[in-house]
Amino acid sequence: MTSKQLDKDYVWLRGTELKELFIQEEIMFIWGVFASFPNGTKLKNVLKFPFVTSRWE
């Protein structure tokens, strides 16, 4: 996983991928929301619902 891959409105990772990212990279999050979904949940099903990009919207 590269910093370019993380520079998006959202990133979809398995827990093991996130763990490896923390182990391999020195990374800082300015702001983020970490959400967990059951195994087998498809990104397309989650993205059916709007997400807030700013608390002022």
Side-chain angles (χ1 to χ4, degrees):
M1 173 102 359
T2 66
S3 60
K4 188 173 184 176
Q5 291 171 298
L6 294 174
D7 191 19
K8 299 179 182 179
D9 288 339
Y10 59 86
V11 178
W12 187 258
L13 298 172
R14 292 185 171 278
T16 53
E17 294 170 312
L18 183 61
K19 180 182 173 183
E20 284 300 312
L21 178 65
F22 289 144
I23 291 170
Q24 295 176 2
E25 301 291 332
E26 187 173 315
I27 192 166
M28 178 177 68
F29 294 94
I30 303 298
W31 185 92
V33 173
F34 293 85
S36 177
F37 298 94
N39 283 338
T41 302
K42 303 289 184 198
L43 177 60
K44 67 179 183 176
N45 293 333
V46 173
L47 293 178
K48 290 178 183 177
F49 302 95
F51 59 94
V52 178
T53 58
S54 169
R55 66 181 268 196
W56 307 113
E57 289 184 11

